[in-house]
Amino acid sequence: MVLTAAGALAACGGGSGATGKGPSAASERAITGKAGGAGCMAPSTAEPMSKGGAGSTLALAKVGGRRVAFVADEDAKALLTIDLDSQSQLAETRLEGTPAQVWVAADGRVFTTLRDKSELVALAVSRPDAPLTRLCSATTPAEPIAIAATPDESTILVSSGWGQRLAAFEAASLAAKFEAKLPREPRAVVVADDGKTAFVSHAVGSVVSVVDLAGAKHESRPLPMRGIEAQQLRALAKQRAMLEQMAKRTASGSNEMLAALEEQTRRLERQSCQGFALAKSSAVSGRIFAPQVMVDPGDLDQRPDGYGDEHSPTETPAVAVIDETAQTPLLASVTLRRDPLVFLNRGDTREARAECLLPRAAVVDTKTRSLLVTCYGIDAVVAYDATAANPLAAERRRWTVGSGPSGVAVDTEKHRAVVWSQFDRTISTFAIGESELVDEKVSPLTVQKTAAAPLREKLPAEYALGRILFHATGDARISADGRACASCHPDGRDDAITWATPEGPRRSIMLAGRAAPTPPYSWNGNETSLHGHLANTFDRLSGKGLRSIELDALVTYVSQMPAPPRAAPADNAKIDRGRAIFASSEAGCSTCHSGATFTDGRNHDVGSKHRADRGATFNTPSLRLVGGTGPYFHDGRYANLTELLTKSDGKMGHTKHLSNADLDALETYLRTL
């Protein structure tokens, strides 16, 4: 394994043209072009090295005879151009915001999403060692993340995480075409082969959205993504068969028993989380792959010693396979096994492997028909058999890469994978090999790593260490079952799950942009500092605890997580009306949700005690960013804000007297906080 030091990049041919200077010589802000119009179609010399119509944190292309990777570097707020063969950085294109993904079109233009600026940007490439030129841009719904294109590349699709939208743009001009409303935290996007349907993953919520691109209304529907353990599935199938036989003999009570069985099935099904990635390929036609994690939060009527059922795995990795035509997941792919194993070539030899509990990116290698998945926490790329009914049960091999592997692409001509790891800012390349299983102990797999040029403004060391710790899976200091902080707080948000805890059912709380200024912490309001709250959390997860310097770093990272960008106000009059209702004595919202953080920091009994709760008083949660979270209340009893406002009258504030128009105004105002 070779690691090229960042300081040596300039000596490795990373110069600008024939000058021989280092990467900084070819580093400047993208030249701004006008938005839309003919200027959006200027010539660009990049030739994409793959035909996939989906973006990632890196995209491969040929430019001027060189094979390069364009990398969306969120820490540098730049697109990096890295020569894959000389392992050197050629250029840096500084941007006005934080890039999330990058994609190269067949016409040579490079597109990127600026997550914190809510913008889609088109750029042109002149030569490999020069910064890209900005051609045009388009405003997107809040927090654009993933990019995809229809098969003919006439339409570009962008998912917006905080904006909960899929937006479509004319590729030629970036003129807006339409928007489709989605559930919470949409992430990856892929488009069906016929260009009529888009599939969108979600970081939380147990769904993949299916969006109609061809219809006039562009409607979306949620495709449930839930798992169930194999032995439970067999037992339920046996019960169902018995009841169906009984129904043939007598109708008395059989329908009620079948309905009860359906309810039992729903209780046993696991919710899914960590839906950051999707992948598809013509090499395995008709399949869409959705790596994720299935979660068992425990019985909410019980009070376990920790978070979830201590007698059952709380999180189990899965690779759901969606039938593109039927638009349903294959049952085998969401049927869970308790002990994921890798079967090696040497007969029955088995070896337990570290689990991929934080999947972040995926791509299909067409030659071996392998699904490559990058995994935070274990910093690995795992190859699965993409033709298997349950890819997770058909792992082929894995490679260790840099910390925080956020993107992966395949160089098909050289049959190698290229991985961008954000946390240590390295490019890893490795030969994919053949499709048979490989024992790494007998035949070690070689990975070559190249570091990007140093940041102009270095990340604080505590923040960088805290980010790694936040995503550390399989770390006994944090949890006994392998969970990371990011398991319940993906991207610093919340997992939309209510957990069984020693105090009763508790919904996860969003951290990004709201943790530092809103003490006390926890629903019980008994933790006055983040240090104390995190230490208590590790204890409940049966973790051994971090050293003080590590705990300081984790607190620094959690405290400094940026809040998602706010959407531009659409109806100021409605917002003003909602603000007035919120502050009115009749509604009483601001009695407890007061001050700059919209919380009085006190505990109250609002009549919301769950039958499993130890106590009846709960801390007033901050309403900052409340519009993008949910479900609501400490036990997640209200699915959305509308339900919260219409069904909680008397428990907190009063809304029964409000008209539908006033309820809408109040909800609109809450979404601006």
Side-chain angles (χ1 to χ4, degrees):
M1 185 179 295
V2 178
L3 175 62
T4 304
L9 282 172
C12 297
S16 174
T19 64
K21 296 181 181 179
S24 60
S27 176
E28 60 185 60
R29 291 200 181 276
I31 301 171
T32 302
K34 64 181 181 179
C40 213
M41 287 299 295
S44 182
T45 61
E47 178 187 346
M49 288 166 56
S50 65
K51 296 180 180 179
S56 182
T57 57
L58 79 166
L60 309 186
K62 293 180 181 178
V63 182
R66 285 178 159 174
R67 311 167 79 85
V68 304
F70 295 112
V71 174
D73 185 345
E74 67 177 48
D75 292 333
K77 291 192 174 183
L79 290 182
L80 311 181
T81 306
I82 296 179
D83 189 307
L84 296 176
D85 295 320
S86 68
Q87 301 290 310
S88 60
Q89 182 172 318
L90 303 177
E92 174 183 326
T93 304
R94 299 171 65 194
L95 302 167
E96 298 298 326
T98 303
Q101 285 198 358
V102 60
W103 174 70
V104 181
D107 61 22
R109 291 178 298 163
V110 176
F111 294 85
T112 188
T113 46
L114 300 186
R115 188 168 183 167
D116 56 340
K117 299 298 182 182
S118 299
E119 194 174 23
L120 171 66
V121 180
L123 305 104
V125 183
S126 58
R127 62 179 197 268
D129 56 358
L132 282 62
T133 301
R134 177 170 172 147
L135 299 174
C136 61
S137 63
T139 299
T140 69
E143 198 185 27
I145 298 176
I147 306 173
T150 52
D152 61 2
E153 295 194 6
S154 64
T155 300
I156 294 177
L157 302 171
V158 174
S159 67
S160 289
W162 195 249
Q164 301 177 16
R165 295 290 191 278
L166 181 70
F169 301 88
E170 292 282 357
S173 63
L174 292 194
K177 295 181 68 175
F178 64 84
E179 294 179 7
K181 191 175 186 332
L182 301 174
R184 284 190 57 193
E185 304 295 348
R187 290 298 186 271
V189 183
V190 297
V191 180
D193 292 336
D194 61 9
K196 296 180 179 180
T197 307
F199 295 82
V200 185
S201 71
H202 292 263
V204 304
S206 305
V207 296
V208 165
S209 289
V210 182
V211 183
D212 179 10
L213 302 180
K217 295 183 178 180
H218 306 294
E219 295 177 335
S220 69
R221 68 175 182 86
L223 173 61
M225 304 298 291
R226 292 176 175 266
I228 191 166
E229 291 190 359
Q231 59 269 37
Q232 293 173 337
L233 184 63
R234 288 192 293 269
L236 290 168
K238 186 175 181 179
Q239 292 180 52
R240 181 181 298 279
M242 292 174 59
L243 290 175
E244 288 175 347
Q245 287 296 322
M246 184 185 301
K248 291 178 180 179
R249 295 192 299 269
T250 174
S252 177
S254 57
N255 289 336
E256 290 80 2
M257 287 187 285
L258 282 169
L261 183 62
E262 292 296 334
E263 178 60 29
Q264 181 184 1
T265 302
R266 282 191 291 271
R267 289 199 306 269
L268 291 173
E269 285 179 336
R270 292 194 172 199
Q271 304 174 61
S272 68
C273 192
Q274 308 296 334
F276 283 81
L278 290 175
K280 69 182 297 292
S281 170
S282 58
V284 278
S285 181
R287 288 187 161 203
I288 295 171
F289 301 95
Q292 55 201 281
V293 172
M294 299 297 179
V295 180
D296 180 4
D299 185 346
L300 300 186
D301 288 329
Q302 303 297 319
R303 292 198 295 264
D305 292 335
Y307 297 119
D309 185 352
E310 60 264 41
H311 303 298
S312 175
T314 52
E315 301 207 336
T316 304
V319 178
V321 180
I322 301 171
D323 184 308
E324 184 178 309
T325 303
Q327 298 180 359
T328 57
L330 301 184
L331 180 60
S333 69
V334 292
T335 300
L336 310 178
R337 301 182 307 160
R338 284 182 176 269
D339 300 305
L341 297 170
V342 171
F343 294 82
L344 303 178
N345 281 335
R346 297 170 295 167
D348 293 330
T349 301
R350 303 182 182 190
E351 181 181 337
R353 308 301 298 267
E355 295 179 326
C356 182
L357 297 180
L358 298 176
R360 283 300 180 269
V363 69
V364 176
D365 170 45
T366 57
K367 182 177 180 180
T368 62
R369 295 199 290 181
S370 295
L371 174 69
L372 306 182
V373 179
T374 71
C375 308
Y376 277 14
I378 61 174
D379 296 330
V381 176
V382 184
Y384 302 101
D385 182 355
T387 66
N390 182 3
L392 190 80
E395 180 178 329
R396 286 176 165 167
R397 67 187 73 184
R398 58 176 65 188
W399 299 262
T400 299
V401 295
S403 181
S406 60
V408 59
V410 174
D411 178 349
T412 54
E413 290 185 13
K414 294 200 172 185
H415 199 217
R416 60 182 173 180
V418 184
V419 180
W420 170 247
S421 295
Q422 184 63 63
F423 297 172
D424 62 9
R425 301 183 65 248
T426 58
I427 283 278
S428 299
T429 58
F430 53 83
I432 297 174
E434 302 304 323
S435 60
E436 70 274 5
L437 296 176
V438 173
D439 182 357
E440 299 96 301
K441 294 180 180 178
V442 177
S443 302
L445 301 174
T446 301
V447 177
Q448 187 172 34
K449 296 181 183 177
T450 302
L455 292 169
R456 293 170 177 267
E457 297 180 9
K458 290 186 177 180
L459 288 179
E462 276 196 334
Y463 180 91
L465 174 59
R467 179 167 63 178
I468 292 173
L469 290 169
F470 187 84
H471 295 90
T473 59
D475 191 330
R477 299 171 302 170
I478 293 172
S479 70
D481 62 2
R483 273 180 287 181
C485 303
S487 296
C488 298
H489 301 282
D491 269 1
R493 315 294 165 86
D494 64 273
D495 58 11
I497 292 174
T498 301
W499 292 83
T501 81
E503 303 297 328
R506 296 292 183 270
R507 179 182 64 79
S508 303
I509 297 176
M510 179 174 173
L511 301 177
R514 58 177 289 181
T518 58
Y521 302 97
S522 85
W523 284 102
N524 296 333
N526 55 358
E527 301 289 351
T528 58
S529 72
L530 274 176
H531 285 79
H533 181 55
L534 290 175
N536 184 51
T537 299
F538 298 153
D539 182 61
R540 289 189 171 182
L541 292 172
S542 298
K544 298 177 181 178
L546 299 174
R547 294 179 297 174
S548 60
I549 189 172
E550 294 168 326
L551 186 57
D552 288 344
L554 183 57
V555 168
T556 296
Y557 177 68
V558 170
S559 301
Q560 295 180 10
M561 284 180 177
R566 308 296 181 91
D571 189 335
N572 288 325
K574 183 186 291 187
I575 293 170
D576 289 342
R577 174 58 182 159
R579 182 184 294 109
I581 295 169
F582 182 87
S584 69
S585 58
E586 292 82 7
C589 305
S590 59
T591 303
C592 299
H593 296 286
S594 56
T597 57
F598 297 94
T599 174
D600 60 6
R602 300 172 60 186
N603 283 17
H604 300 276
D605 182 353
V606 295
S608 62
K609 186 177 185 293
H610 185 279
R611 55 183 171 271
D613 282 324
R614 287 188 183 275
T617 64
F618 303 95
N619 184 248
T620 305
S622 169
L623 294 185
R624 292 185 64 178
L625 305 169
V626 68
T629 61
Y632 298 96
F633 261 41
H634 73 283
D635 55 2
R637 67 182 63 181
Y638 299 121
N640 50 56
L641 275 179
T642 301
E643 190 173 300
L644 170 69
L645 293 176
T646 56
K647 294 185 178 181
S648 67
D649 185 86
K651 290 185 174 66
M652 53 168 207
H654 298 280
T655 55
K656 190 176 293 184
H657 65 287
L658 297 176
S659 65
N660 288 337
D662 280 350
L663 282 169
D664 183 42
L666 179 56
E667 180 174 339
T668 300
Y669 169 67
L670 290 174
R671 292 187 180 279
T672 68
L673 300 182

